[in-house]
Amino acid sequence: MNSPHRPLKTKIPLLALVGIALACSPGIAPAATDSPHTPLVQLSVDWPKFMAQHDLVWEQFPPSWNTGGFVGNGQLGMMIYATRDDNRVDFHLGRQDVTDHRKAPDRKNSFWVGGASCHYDFPRLDIGRMALRPAGKILSGTMRQNLWDAEVTGTIVTDLGELRFRALTLRDRMVQVIEVVSTEKSNGREASWTWEFLPGKPVAPRRFVSPKEPAGQGYKLNPDPQRAEVDGVPVCTQTLLAGGDYATAWLEKKADGGRKSTLYISTANEVPEAGKSAPLAARTVKEAVAEPLASLVEAHRSWWHAFYPASFLSVPDGRLESFFWIQLYKFASAGRVGGPLVDDQGPFFRINQWPYPTWDLNVQLTYWLPLTSNHLDLEETFLRFIDEHFDQILKIEGSGKTIGDVAWLLHNYYWCYSFAGDNASLRTAWQPKAAALADLYLKRLRREPDGKLHLPQTQSPEYPVNKETFDDSNYNLALLRWLLHSLLEVTPDAPDAARWRETLAD
């Protein structure tokens, strides 16, 4: 069942999107042209100007994680906001694969390991934040999310002057960069800001959100984080009870007499190995510091400036158009080729009750956008995850009331190869999974006195809140109908084809 997928490639370049097609069809082939290399639409776009009109702009500095700016490279990420009651600006760090791995000490994560709880055995863990503490009291501020260059810039106004910053997560390195320039003065003399790393508590977030939950009463805490220097670089290392560790390193490079500085941050995660994360994080920041910042930024922008023009969308509704481009930026910040599955957090972590992937709609909806925006490469992580874990997913989710969620995952999986025009992979990679799921559905069907087949006691996602089950839920019937039709379309001569047709008829 775990057949390796083939790399996704778009057969015909998608030069323009003229409407929002949020994955509502397998794709529409463009009309024939005189030459396969003749663009359907000649685009003349001033990309920096076009994207700038969609930038997120804060006229007041965001006061919380929920309202903050964000940068990411598909693995690392930062949320940027002010914590005014402690007079600081937080650059809240995240790394998407930093999770616990209880029940699987020899692996990075214990996804789908028998008996593993998503709440307590493999949740995401809080790395912490870099806190920028101005010399003066924060009075106000502004911020802008530059989509085209994939960076956030801001101004912090204090009673002693201003601090201007630029923050970005380098696309091609596991490094986050924050530049700061200050005009703060006290008694006519320059006043200095400070950086402080505030480590997160390496505790399952559910313990904070639901401290009285019975399932968490026997939960054992991971050790406290430890600070040290590795090769002259400050590092905070977090050891896990299940084994291994992750570590964050940072190094500040000052200029202009100390009025300007650049902070380089890296979080390494070599779990399940121990003792390797700290040296790797320290080495990574030192290598970045040794490079001219302009070169690092140029490489970072090069990726993003090639990313956006892969497709184009404009609609006569400015807010809706901005929403599309912001979501495209968000997904590219959260996903990367060869990276981890984008979960409910992406690389932007906060304490919450769902610090893991949820399969009832979050993963499915998250992976819609790349399909219709000519970014099929960003679907690779989804395909790889399903290939690696499908047997466990089918056993755990397909055997219970949430069987429809597996069908929806396979609906996404089907779309990936359909949009790529890859019929061979539909037959070799998708079909065996779909046939196995169809078999589970068909075993549940019951013929009733009306002569029709009925589907007892399944669940619809998020409906209602208490997760009741229903006979003949529309969610499952619709997905089963799609599943069987698609199986017949892909492999009309399969051994079970007659059974699928009979089921559809009844």
Side-chain angles (χ1 to χ4, degrees):
M1 210 67 70
N2 297 338
S3 53
H5 67 268
R6 302 197 308 177
L8 289 176
K9 294 181 179 179
T10 308
K11 291 208 169 182
I12 301 174
L14 181 58
L15 297 175
L17 295 175
V18 294
I20 295 182
L22 289 179
C24 59
S25 70
I28 300 174
T33 61
D34 293 336
S35 166
H37 304 293
T38 302
L40 295 176
V41 178
Q42 295 289 345
L43 291 180
S44 180
V45 178
D46 183 338
W47 279 98
K49 182 178 179 180
F50 175 79
M51 294 301 294
Q53 67 184 330
H54 303 306
D55 286 352
L56 287 160
V57 177
W58 288 258
E59 295 178 346
Q60 298 180 5
F61 209 87
S64 67
W65 188 97
N66 285 356
T67 57
F70 52 94
V71 290
N73 67 6
Q75 180 67 284
L76 299 179
M78 282 192 292
M79 294 293 299
I80 304 164
Y81 54 95
T83 301
R84 295 288 290 276
D85 58 1
D86 195 29
N87 200 54
R88 71 176 196 251
V89 175
D90 286 337
F91 295 82
H92 201 150
L93 307 177
R95 177 168 165 135
Q96 202 155 201
D97 65 352
V98 168
T99 70
D100 220 327
H101 61 124
R102 302 182 186 195
K103 308 285 188 183
D106 58 338
R107 288 169 41 185
K108 187 179 285 286
N109 193 292
S110 50
F111 276 137
W112 306 112
V113 172
S117 160
C118 55
H119 295 155
Y120 299 104
D121 293 319
F122 58 88
R124 291 278 294 277
L125 298 174
D126 190 6
I127 292 169
R129 64 202 76 194
M130 294 301 307
L132 175 61
R133 297 189 181 277
K137 181 180 179 181
I138 297 175
L139 302 177
S140 63
T142 58
M143 198 165 74
R144 186 182 191 100
Q145 184 128 20
N146 182 325
L147 300 178
W148 178 241
D149 291 336
E151 62 184 35
V152 171
T153 57
T155 300
I156 305 156
V157 179
T158 77
D159 58 0
L160 298 180
E162 292 183 352
L163 292 91
R164 298 189 302 277
F165 72 85
R166 175 175 67 156
L168 59 155
T169 305
L170 298 179
R171 187 70 199 189
D172 60 333
R173 295 174 183 243
M174 290 301 137
V175 176
Q176 315 210 62
V177 178
I178 309 168
E179 279 189 293
V180 179
V181 179
S182 174
T183 66
E184 284 191 306
K185 289 187 177 181
S186 178
N187 298 321
R189 303 181 64 180
E190 294 177 347
S192 297
W193 73 90
T194 59
W195 282 110
E196 181 183 5
F197 180 65
L198 303 175
K201 293 184 178 180
V203 177
R206 195 83 171 191
R207 289 287 293 157
F208 297 107
V209 177
S210 303
K212 295 183 180 180
E213 189 173 54
Q217 296 310 302
Y219 180 81
K220 295 182 180 179
L221 301 180
N222 286 307
D224 290 335
Q226 299 296 315
R227 298 172 185 262
E229 277 202 1
V230 176
D231 198 17
V233 178
V235 179
C236 183
T237 301
Q238 178 58 60
T239 302
L240 301 178
L241 283 178
D245 53 52
Y246 57 89
T248 299
W250 60 96
L251 197 57
E252 187 177 18
K253 185 177 182 179
K254 294 188 176 183
D256 194 19
R259 305 311 302 150
K260 179 179 180 179
S261 83
T262 306
L263 185 70
Y264 300 80
I265 313 159
S266 182
T267 300
N269 177 24
E270 293 299 292
V271 169
E273 299 293 328
K276 293 185 177 180
S277 295
L280 176 58
R283 183 170 67 252
T284 302
V285 293
K286 290 190 75 172
E287 290 172 351
V289 169
E291 294 282 337
L293 180 59
S295 297
L296 298 176
V297 172
E298 182 181 3
H300 167 77
R301 290 180 178 176
S302 177
W303 187 91
W304 283 95
H305 293 175
F307 171 77
Y308 291 115
S311 61
F312 182 77
L313 179 142
S314 183
V315 295
D317 183 319
R319 188 176 184 185
L320 189 61
E321 184 175 290
S322 292
F323 181 80
F324 171 83
W325 289 103
I326 292 166
Q327 300 315 305
L328 199 59
Y329 165 79
K330 183 190 296 183
F331 188 89
S333 298
R336 67 184 291 119
V337 175
L341 182 82
V342 180
D343 63 12
D344 289 23
Q345 310 290 295
F348 319 110
F349 181 85
R350 64 166 298 197
I351 298 296
N352 74 100
Q353 60 184 328
W354 301 289
Y356 46 82
T358 55
W359 310 101
D360 53 355
L361 60 83
N362 291 73
V363 170
Q364 291 91 330
L365 294 178
T366 294
Y367 277 93
W368 273 8
L369 184 59
L371 295 168
T372 54
S373 58
N374 202 32
H375 295 293
L376 289 178
D377 56 323
L378 294 179
E379 295 283 351
E380 294 283 354
T381 56
F382 171 79
L383 291 172
R384 187 179 71 246
F385 188 92
I386 299 301
D387 283 341
E388 291 174 353
H389 298 281
F390 186 75
D391 289 342
Q392 300 99 305
I393 294 172
L394 191 67
K395 180 179 179 181
I396 296 171
E397 302 290 344
S399 60
K401 60 187 179 181
T402 57
I403 186 173
D405 299 342
V406 186
W408 197 359
L409 286 173
L410 287 184
H411 189 247
N412 277 50
Y413 193 99
Y414 172 91
W415 264 348
C416 289
Y417 289 120
S418 293
F419 272 77
D422 188 350
N423 294 326
S425 291
L426 283 175
R427 290 190 294 271
T428 60
W430 175 82
Q431 199 276 353
K433 298 178 179 65
L437 181 64
D439 189 58
L440 290 181
Y441 262 121
L442 269 55
K443 288 177 179 177
R444 291 173 175 230
L445 293 172
R446 298 289 181 268
R447 193 175 297 277
E448 296 189 4
D450 62 0
K452 294 293 184 180
L453 294 169
H454 292 263
L455 184 66
Q457 296 301 296
T458 56
Q459 181 179 296
S460 294
E462 305 292 337
Y463 179 82
V465 176
N466 60 357
K467 302 286 189 182
E468 291 180 21
T469 56
F470 303 90
D471 290 338
D472 292 331
S473 75
N474 288 340
Y475 172 65
N476 278 278
L477 291 180
L479 282 164
L480 176 55
R481 186 180 299 276
W482 164 81
L483 183 69
L484 297 178
H485 272 298
S486 299
L487 279 166
L488 288 168
E489 177 186 278
V490 173
T491 51
D493 56 349
D496 285 331
R499 186 183 178 204
W500 299 333
R501 291 189 181 94
E502 180 184 350
T503 302
L504 283 169
D506 289 349

